[in-house]
Tab-separated table of all heavy atoms in Angstrom:
chain	number	residue	atom	x	y	z
A	254	LEU	N	-98.427	-20.662	-36.112
A	254	LEU	CA	-98.153	-19.327	-36.636
A	254	LEU	C	-98.747	-18.221	-35.767
A	254	LEU	O	-97.977	-17.200	-35.574
A	254	LEU	CB	-98.672	-19.266	-38.119
A	254	LEU	CG	-98.430	-17.842	-38.780
A	254	LEU	CD1	-97.007	-17.652	-38.927
A	254	LEU	CD2	-99.127	-17.939	-40.160
A	255	ALA	N	-99.856	-18.417	-35.232
A	255	ALA	CA	-100.527	-17.335	-34.437
A	255	ALA	C	-99.668	-17.050	-33.208
A	255	ALA	O	-99.483	-15.892	-32.809
A	255	ALA	CB	-101.941	-17.737	-34.109
A	256	GLU	N	-99.297	-18.163	-32.498
A	256	GLU	CA	-98.483	-17.948	-31.289
A	256	GLU	C	-97.105	-17.319	-31.593
A	256	GLU	O	-96.664	-16.522	-30.823
A	256	GLU	CB	-98.359	-19.308	-30.549
A	256	GLU	CG	-99.632	-19.823	-30.005
A	256	GLU	CD	-99.365	-21.102	-29.237
A	256	GLU	OE1	-98.228	-21.406	-28.763
A	256	GLU	OE2	-100.373	-21.905	-29.027
A	257	ALA	N	-96.532	-17.759	-32.669
A	257	ALA	CA	-95.264	-17.240	-33.081
A	257	ALA	C	-95.364	-15.692	-33.367
A	257	ALA	O	-94.547	-14.886	-33.003
A	257	ALA	CB	-94.706	-17.988	-34.219
A	258	ARG	N	-96.407	-15.340	-34.050
A	258	ARG	CA	-96.745	-13.944	-34.354
A	258	ARG	C	-96.924	-13.120	-33.131
A	258	ARG	O	-96.409	-12.051	-32.957
A	258	ARG	CB	-97.986	-13.837	-35.316
A	258	ARG	CG	-98.313	-12.370	-35.688
A	258	ARG	CD	-99.681	-12.344	-36.352
A	258	ARG	NE	-100.626	-12.801	-35.391
A	258	ARG	CZ	-101.872	-13.263	-35.713
A	258	ARG	NH1	-102.054	-13.567	-36.963
A	258	ARG	NH2	-102.723	-13.635	-34.787
A	259	ASP	N	-97.662	-13.584	-32.160
A	259	ASP	CA	-97.955	-12.974	-30.904
A	259	ASP	C	-96.653	-12.757	-30.111
A	259	ASP	O	-96.394	-11.704	-29.550
A	259	ASP	CB	-98.937	-13.724	-30.004
A	259	ASP	CG	-100.383	-13.678	-30.563
A	259	ASP	OD1	-100.579	-12.809	-31.411
A	259	ASP	OD2	-101.213	-14.484	-30.169
A	260	GLN	N	-95.805	-13.775	-30.088
A	260	GLN	CA	-94.512	-13.671	-29.387
A	260	GLN	C	-93.614	-12.599	-30.004
A	260	GLN	O	-93.083	-11.738	-29.290
A	260	GLN	CB	-93.806	-15.004	-29.434
A	260	GLN	CG	-92.494	-15.040	-28.684
A	260	GLN	CD	-92.665	-14.928	-27.258
A	260	GLN	OE1	-93.476	-15.597	-26.598
A	260	GLN	NE2	-91.887	-14.023	-26.595
A	261	PHE	N	-93.600	-12.573	-31.312
A	261	PHE	CA	-92.808	-11.548	-32.005
A	261	PHE	C	-93.394	-10.090	-31.747
A	261	PHE	O	-92.686	-9.193	-31.421
A	261	PHE	CB	-92.859	-11.805	-33.548
A	261	PHE	CG	-92.222	-10.615	-34.282
A	261	PHE	CD1	-90.806	-10.596	-34.466
A	261	PHE	CD2	-93.011	-9.636	-34.887
A	261	PHE	CE1	-90.272	-9.571	-35.206
A	261	PHE	CE2	-92.410	-8.561	-35.584
A	261	PHE	CZ	-91.068	-8.597	-35.778
A	262	GLU	N	-94.717	-9.945	-31.764
A	262	GLU	CA	-95.386	-8.712	-31.496
A	262	GLU	C	-95.127	-8.217	-30.056
A	262	GLU	O	-94.833	-7.043	-29.908
A	262	GLU	CB	-96.847	-8.811	-31.796
A	262	GLU	CG	-97.549	-7.438	-31.895
A	262	GLU	CD	-99.022	-7.548	-32.374
A	262	GLU	OE1	-99.354	-8.698	-32.800
A	262	GLU	OE2	-99.740	-6.591	-32.377
A	263	ARG	N	-95.158	-9.167	-29.097
A	263	ARG	CA	-94.962	-8.795	-27.752
A	263	ARG	C	-93.490	-8.329	-27.575
A	263	ARG	O	-93.259	-7.298	-26.997
A	263	ARG	CB	-95.203	-10.013	-26.816
A	263	ARG	CG	-95.024	-9.666	-25.347
A	263	ARG	CD	-95.207	-10.965	-24.480
A	263	ARG	NE	-95.279	-10.598	-23.042
A	263	ARG	CZ	-94.286	-10.430	-22.295
A	263	ARG	NH1	-92.977	-10.634	-22.800
A	263	ARG	NH2	-94.348	-10.112	-21.032
A	264	ASP	N	-92.534	-9.025	-28.138
A	264	ASP	CA	-91.135	-8.632	-27.996
A	264	ASP	C	-90.901	-7.297	-28.735
A	264	ASP	O	-90.088	-6.502	-28.237
A	264	ASP	CB	-90.195	-9.727	-28.637
A	264	ASP	CG	-90.210	-10.955	-27.822
A	264	ASP	OD1	-90.709	-10.924	-26.659
A	264	ASP	OD2	-89.677	-12.005	-28.343
A	265	TYR	N	-91.599	-7.063	-29.830
A	265	TYR	CA	-91.346	-5.803	-30.659
A	265	TYR	C	-91.895	-4.660	-29.840
A	265	TYR	O	-91.249	-3.523	-29.781
A	265	TYR	CB	-92.228	-5.905	-31.887
A	265	TYR	CG	-91.779	-4.917	-32.930
A	265	TYR	CD1	-90.618	-5.031	-33.661
A	265	TYR	CD2	-92.547	-3.766	-33.144
A	265	TYR	CE1	-90.231	-4.023	-34.660
A	265	TYR	CE2	-92.179	-2.796	-34.087
A	265	TYR	CZ	-91.025	-2.949	-34.844
A	265	TYR	OH	-90.610	-2.060	-35.777
A	266	ILE	N	-93.017	-4.815	-29.094
A	266	ILE	CA	-93.558	-3.718	-28.208
A	266	ILE	C	-92.596	-3.497	-27.105
A	266	ILE	O	-92.340	-2.334	-26.686
A	266	ILE	CB	-95.010	-4.072	-27.776
A	266	ILE	CG1	-95.976	-4.079	-28.917
A	266	ILE	CG2	-95.421	-3.075	-26.653
A	266	ILE	CD1	-97.347	-4.644	-28.528
A	267	LEU	N	-92.047	-4.529	-26.497
A	267	LEU	CA	-91.173	-4.402	-25.405
A	267	LEU	C	-89.894	-3.595	-25.788
A	267	LEU	O	-89.413	-2.723	-25.101
A	267	LEU	CB	-90.719	-5.755	-24.803
A	267	LEU	CG	-91.796	-6.384	-23.941
A	267	LEU	CD1	-91.335	-7.864	-23.626
A	267	LEU	CD2	-91.967	-5.643	-22.576
A	268	ARG	N	-89.381	-3.932	-26.962
A	268	ARG	CA	-88.226	-3.196	-27.472
A	268	ARG	C	-88.532	-1.729	-27.713
A	268	ARG	O	-87.719	-0.876	-27.414
A	268	ARG	CB	-87.654	-3.814	-28.728
A	268	ARG	CG	-87.108	-5.229	-28.605
A	268	ARG	CD	-86.392	-5.723	-29.817
A	268	ARG	NE	-85.934	-7.051	-29.729
A	268	ARG	CZ	-86.656	-8.097	-30.301
A	268	ARG	NH1	-87.769	-7.896	-30.974
A	268	ARG	NH2	-86.181	-9.312	-30.132
A	269	ALA	N	-89.680	-1.462	-28.301
A	269	ALA	CA	-90.014	-0.064	-28.521
A	269	ALA	C	-90.286	0.671	-27.239
A	269	ALA	O	-89.856	1.841	-27.106
A	269	ALA	CB	-91.329	-0.035	-29.418
A	270	LEU	N	-90.899	0.083	-26.226
A	270	LEU	CA	-91.031	0.677	-24.913
A	270	LEU	C	-89.669	0.954	-24.300
A	270	LEU	O	-89.500	2.094	-23.725
A	270	LEU	CB	-91.905	-0.257	-23.976
A	270	LEU	CG	-93.358	-0.276	-24.227
A	270	LEU	CD1	-94.030	-1.427	-23.537
A	270	LEU	CD2	-94.028	1.071	-23.704
A	271	ALA	N	-88.718	0.019	-24.341
A	271	ALA	CA	-87.465	0.229	-23.738
A	271	ALA	C	-86.706	1.399	-24.400
A	271	ALA	O	-86.048	2.201	-23.727
A	271	ALA	CB	-86.602	-1.031	-23.846
A	272	ALA	N	-86.845	1.481	-25.746
A	272	ALA	CA	-86.135	2.580	-26.483
A	272	ALA	C	-86.723	3.902	-26.091
A	272	ALA	O	-86.048	4.874	-26.059
A	272	ALA	CB	-86.322	2.315	-27.988
A	273	ALA	N	-88.097	3.935	-25.786
A	273	ALA	CA	-88.717	5.193	-25.434
A	273	ALA	C	-88.715	5.379	-23.909
A	273	ALA	O	-89.342	6.315	-23.419
A	273	ALA	CB	-90.120	5.135	-26.045
A	274	GLN	N	-88.061	4.488	-23.229
A	274	GLN	CA	-87.959	4.599	-21.706
A	274	GLN	C	-89.320	4.562	-21.030
A	274	GLN	O	-89.560	5.355	-20.074
A	274	GLN	CB	-87.113	5.814	-21.306
A	274	GLN	CG	-85.693	5.820	-21.746
A	274	GLN	CD	-84.868	6.922	-21.211
A	274	GLN	OE1	-85.430	8.002	-20.804
A	274	GLN	NE2	-83.542	6.818	-21.181
A	275	GLY	N	-90.202	3.759	-21.660
A	275	GLY	CA	-91.554	3.577	-21.027
A	275	GLY	C	-92.571	4.679	-21.426
A	275	GLY	O	-93.687	4.595	-20.970
A	276	ASN	N	-92.149	5.692	-22.249
A	276	ASN	CA	-93.119	6.742	-22.601
A	276	ASN	C	-94.114	6.178	-23.614
A	276	ASN	O	-93.743	5.779	-24.769
A	276	ASN	CB	-92.309	7.848	-23.212
A	276	ASN	CG	-93.176	9.091	-23.496
A	276	ASN	OD1	-94.104	9.025	-24.218
A	276	ASN	ND2	-92.833	10.207	-22.888
A	277	MET	N	-95.353	6.157	-23.163
A	277	MET	CA	-96.365	5.627	-23.989
A	277	MET	C	-96.628	6.358	-25.295
A	277	MET	O	-96.876	5.755	-26.366
A	277	MET	CB	-97.743	5.400	-23.170
A	277	MET	CG	-97.632	4.547	-21.966
A	277	MET	SD	-97.299	2.799	-22.431
A	277	MET	CE	-98.858	2.440	-23.260
A	278	SER	N	-96.630	7.606	-25.214
A	278	SER	CA	-96.934	8.445	-26.434
A	278	SER	C	-95.852	8.223	-27.393
A	278	SER	O	-96.160	8.038	-28.642
A	278	SER	CB	-96.996	9.953	-26.043
A	278	SER	OG	-98.134	10.175	-25.120
A	279	LYS	N	-94.603	8.239	-27.052
A	279	LYS	CA	-93.566	8.041	-28.002
A	279	LYS	C	-93.588	6.596	-28.501
A	279	LYS	O	-93.334	6.438	-29.743
A	279	LYS	CB	-92.161	8.279	-27.292
A	279	LYS	CG	-91.872	9.726	-26.949
A	279	LYS	CD	-90.514	9.872	-26.402
A	279	LYS	CE	-90.186	11.400	-26.068
A	279	LYS	NZ	-88.860	11.514	-25.400
A	280	THR	N	-93.855	5.673	-27.713
A	280	THR	CA	-93.887	4.274	-28.103
A	280	THR	C	-95.012	4.170	-29.219
A	280	THR	O	-94.805	3.521	-30.270
A	280	THR	CB	-94.154	3.311	-26.947
A	280	THR	OG1	-93.136	3.506	-26.042
A	280	THR	CG2	-94.196	1.857	-27.458
A	281	ALA	N	-96.183	4.665	-28.947
A	281	ALA	CA	-97.264	4.552	-29.875
A	281	ALA	C	-96.886	5.252	-31.234
A	281	ALA	O	-97.233	4.691	-32.258
A	281	ALA	CB	-98.532	5.178	-29.309
A	282	GLU	N	-96.227	6.432	-31.107
A	282	GLU	CA	-95.833	7.094	-32.336
A	282	GLU	C	-94.844	6.238	-33.226
A	282	GLU	O	-94.949	6.082	-34.397
A	282	GLU	CB	-95.140	8.412	-31.915
A	282	GLU	CG	-94.760	9.301	-33.134
A	282	GLU	CD	-94.158	10.616	-32.721
A	282	GLU	OE1	-94.204	10.887	-31.506
A	282	GLU	OE2	-93.560	11.295	-33.545
A	283	VAL	N	-93.841	5.656	-32.509
A	283	VAL	CA	-92.914	4.768	-33.194
A	283	VAL	C	-93.497	3.585	-33.851
A	283	VAL	O	-93.196	3.301	-34.935
A	283	VAL	CB	-91.716	4.310	-32.221
A	283	VAL	CG1	-90.859	3.254	-32.766
A	283	VAL	CG2	-90.912	5.556	-31.721
A	284	LEU	N	-94.471	2.959	-33.096
A	284	LEU	CA	-95.094	1.876	-33.641
A	284	LEU	C	-96.226	2.183	-34.722
A	284	LEU	O	-96.734	1.249	-35.335
A	284	LEU	CB	-95.704	1.105	-32.510
A	284	LEU	CG	-94.808	0.449	-31.459
A	284	LEU	CD1	-95.586	-0.215	-30.399
A	284	LEU	CD2	-93.868	-0.569	-32.105
A	285	GLY	N	-96.648	3.446	-34.739
A	285	GLY	CA	-97.650	3.830	-35.759
A	285	GLY	C	-99.013	3.363	-35.344
A	285	GLY	O	-99.800	2.977	-36.194
A	286	VAL	N	-99.363	3.384	-34.006
A	286	VAL	CA	-100.690	2.926	-33.587
A	286	VAL	C	-101.137	4.016	-32.570
A	286	VAL	O	-100.446	4.885	-32.066
A	286	VAL	CB	-100.660	1.559	-32.880
A	286	VAL	CG1	-100.158	0.557	-33.796
A	286	VAL	CG2	-99.728	1.630	-31.616
A	287	GLU	N	-102.484	3.958	-32.313
A	287	GLU	CA	-103.123	4.815	-31.341
A	287	GLU	C	-102.766	4.372	-29.942
A	287	GLU	O	-102.483	3.126	-29.702
A	287	GLU	CB	-104.635	4.831	-31.522
A	287	GLU	CG	-105.144	5.419	-32.863
A	287	GLU	CD	-104.897	6.865	-32.905
A	287	GLU	OE1	-104.847	7.539	-31.835
A	287	GLU	OE2	-104.876	7.438	-34.087
A	288	ARG	N	-102.698	5.295	-29.026
A	288	ARG	CA	-102.309	4.961	-27.593
A	288	ARG	C	-103.288	3.916	-27.087
A	288	ARG	O	-102.947	3.009	-26.336
A	288	ARG	CB	-102.256	6.173	-26.781
A	288	ARG	CG	-101.003	7.041	-26.874
A	288	ARG	CD	-100.947	8.119	-25.883
A	288	ARG	NE	-101.009	7.580	-24.467
A	288	ARG	CZ	-100.929	8.345	-23.403
A	288	ARG	NH1	-100.833	9.639	-23.541
A	288	ARG	NH2	-101.069	7.800	-22.173
A	289	SER	N	-104.591	4.121	-27.365
A	289	SER	CA	-105.602	3.189	-26.859
A	289	SER	C	-105.323	1.772	-27.364
A	289	SER	O	-105.474	0.804	-26.636
A	289	SER	CB	-106.998	3.699	-27.273
A	289	SER	OG	-107.151	3.781	-28.702
A	290	ASN	N	-104.970	1.628	-28.676
A	290	ASN	CA	-104.711	0.328	-29.246
A	290	ASN	C	-103.437	-0.310	-28.524
A	290	ASN	O	-103.379	-1.456	-28.319
A	290	ASN	CB	-104.555	0.402	-30.705
A	290	ASN	CG	-105.816	0.633	-31.464
A	290	ASN	OD1	-106.900	0.388	-30.867
A	290	ASN	ND2	-105.775	1.195	-32.629
A	291	LEU	N	-102.493	0.575	-28.325
A	291	LEU	CA	-101.248	0.064	-27.636
A	291	LEU	C	-101.523	-0.454	-26.219
A	291	LEU	O	-101.027	-1.456	-25.857
A	291	LEU	CB	-100.228	1.259	-27.571
A	291	LEU	CG	-98.855	0.862	-26.803
A	291	LEU	CD1	-98.220	-0.303	-27.512
A	291	LEU	CD2	-97.924	2.133	-26.849
A	292	TYR	N	-102.385	0.303	-25.520
A	292	TYR	CA	-102.769	-0.173	-24.184
A	292	TYR	C	-103.527	-1.501	-24.254
A	292	TYR	O	-103.284	-2.469	-23.418
A	292	TYR	CB	-103.677	0.805	-23.474
A	292	TYR	CG	-102.983	1.902	-22.799
A	292	TYR	CD1	-103.000	3.243	-23.192
A	292	TYR	CD2	-102.260	1.647	-21.578
A	292	TYR	CE1	-102.318	4.229	-22.570
A	292	TYR	CE2	-101.595	2.648	-20.961
A	292	TYR	CZ	-101.650	3.921	-21.372
A	292	TYR	OH	-100.951	4.953	-20.723
A	293	LYS	N	-104.391	-1.696	-25.262
A	293	LYS	CA	-105.094	-2.990	-25.446
A	293	LYS	C	-104.068	-4.094	-25.670
A	293	LYS	O	-104.220	-5.218	-25.126
A	293	LYS	CB	-106.103	-2.831	-26.565
A	293	LYS	CG	-107.260	-1.906	-26.206
A	293	LYS	CD	-108.298	-1.835	-27.393
A	293	LYS	CE	-109.426	-0.932	-27.138
A	293	LYS	NZ	-110.288	-0.677	-28.310
A	294	LYS	N	-103.156	-3.879	-26.552
A	294	LYS	CA	-102.156	-4.860	-27.014
A	294	LYS	C	-101.324	-5.262	-25.802
A	294	LYS	O	-101.057	-6.406	-25.511
A	294	LYS	CB	-101.203	-4.340	-28.052
A	294	LYS	CG	-101.850	-4.304	-29.469
A	294	LYS	CD	-101.909	-5.602	-30.024
A	294	LYS	CE	-102.387	-5.624	-31.479
A	294	LYS	NZ	-102.535	-7.033	-31.979
A	295	MET	N	-100.912	-4.184	-24.983
A	295	MET	CA	-100.099	-4.514	-23.865
A	295	MET	C	-100.846	-5.249	-22.767
A	295	MET	O	-100.273	-6.214	-22.182
A	295	MET	CB	-99.576	-3.138	-23.211
A	295	MET	CG	-98.558	-2.451	-24.131
A	295	MET	SD	-98.122	-0.837	-23.533
A	295	MET	CE	-97.443	-1.164	-21.873
Side-chain angles (χ1 to χ4, degrees):
L254 180 61
E256 290 184 22
R258 182 192 61 208
D259 289 346
Q260 182 66 50
F261 173 82
E262 193 170 351
R263 183 181 190 277
D264 291 346
Y265 196 78
I266 291 172
L267 282 171
R268 292 191 186 98
L270 281 165
Q274 297 186 340
N276 186 298
M277 296 295 294
S278 296
K279 289 183 179 179
T280 303
E282 182 179 349
V283 168
L284 295 176
V286 299
E287 296 290 335
R288 281 187 59 179
S289 58
N290 289 337
L291 178 58
Y292 274 112
K293 291 177 183 177
K294 286 283 187 183
M295 290 173 61

